[in-house]
Amino acid sequence: MTDLLISQLADRTGIPATTLRFYETAGLLPAGRTPGGYRVYGEDAVERLGFIIAAKRLGLPLEQIAGLLHVWADGSCTQVRDSLRPRLAARIAEAEQRASELAAFTATLYRAREHLDALPDRDGRCDPRCGCPAPGPTADAQPVTLHRARQDAEDQAWRSAPVACSLGGSAIGDRIRKWQDLLADAEREPILDGIKLTMRSDLAAQVAELATAEHECCPFLDFRIHFTSQQLHLEVRAPAEAMNMLTSLFSAPN
């Protein structure tokens, strides 16, 4: 079996070397080492990556992909099929639910527009008859639908944004140092399309300020912040071609 260096595997598959390293960290793509310490991969890595990419296109999280890879590597085609089927069923149910919620929200928007079109012209101030109509029969689903619709739009925005940073010169190095100083004690965990960082909750203001500045120059980065107990969790995602920058900014310093 011919071993492939990481650059050769990247050329064969079109997947950046930074993403290959990330997959290794996430436990999806094992790599050997040469006596000089360089990563090497067997020919089966090409097929393994094909399986990973196909699973990602189905929206499966990295944890599920890792489990499927164990079956794929050691089991039969039938076992892979039987392991994948319930996961697809869950994704289908989720997609259908989101489609239903979006349809309900769309109907609400149409009713609101019809209400506005039916309003007479008046010179007086607005009263309860103006503005948005009272909720219809689908009111219970509307808050969730609005969140889903907004989330879909945000996801599409960062995924389709050009991978280009408007910072230049020493500003890039300065930005990296700010992130490394802020995240010096953070716990790092790979997630689908990015990394999750867990830190003290009292850093929230600094994290939000720096994330806002980062998104202004790099709109292809997606930032999400949430709290649990006394901790703050920052999830950062990026398209595959931007993994090199994501790694530079958020990986632990060597």
Side-chain angles (χ1 to χ4, degrees), residues 42-224:
E43 284 287 340
D44 62 326
V46 176
E47 291 187 6
R48 190 179 188 91
L49 284 167
F51 186 91
I52 293 170
I53 297 305
K56 283 187 62 180
R57 287 173 180 163
L58 297 174
L60 298 179
L62 289 183
E63 298 80 8
Q64 292 191 18
I65 295 176
L68 285 168
L69 280 169
H70 286 299
V71 182
W72 176 83
D74 303 321
S76 66
C77 182
T78 298
Q79 290 174 315
V80 174
R81 180 197 64 192
D82 292 345
S83 183
L84 183 57
R85 182 181 286 113
R87 291 174 169 83
L88 290 182
R91 293 294 297 168
I92 290 170
E94 179 183 346
E96 289 177 342
Q97 175 65 25
R98 294 177 67 177
S100 175
E101 293 171 352
L102 188 57
F105 181 55
T106 302
T108 298
L109 293 177
Y110 274 113
R111 288 198 306 273
R113 188 177 68 177
E114 292 170 358
H115 173 79
L116 293 177
D117 291 343
L119 288 175
D121 293 334
R122 294 190 299 142
D123 295 330
R125 292 179 57 84
C126 283
D127 58 33
R129 292 174 295 170
C130 299
C132 296
T138 59
D140 291 341
Q142 288 170 18
V144 177
T145 302
L146 181 59
H147 171 74
R148 292 290 192 181
R150 183 175 66 250
Q151 184 179 27
D152 289 345
E154 291 172 350
D155 284 348
Q156 182 61 33
W158 71 265
R159 291 184 186 279
S160 59
V163 179
C165 179
S166 60
L167 291 179
S170 61
I172 295 179
D174 182 59
R175 179 64 55 78
I176 292 175
R177 284 190 293 273
K178 287 182 178 179
W179 276 118
Q180 290 180 346
D181 290 344
L182 184 59
L183 304 175
D185 298 324
E187 297 179 6
R188 292 164 170 83
E189 175 188 352
I191 58 174
L192 181 64
D193 294 324
I195 188 170
K196 177 180 178 180
L197 304 114
T198 301
M199 66 209 79
R200 306 190 317 270
S201 60
D202 62 324
L203 297 175
Q206 298 176 62
V207 170
E209 181 180 2
L210 195 52
T212 299
E214 191 67 55
H215 193 265
E216 289 178 354
C217 64
C218 300
F220 54 87
L221 292 176
D222 178 66
F223 295 91
R224 310 206 180 185

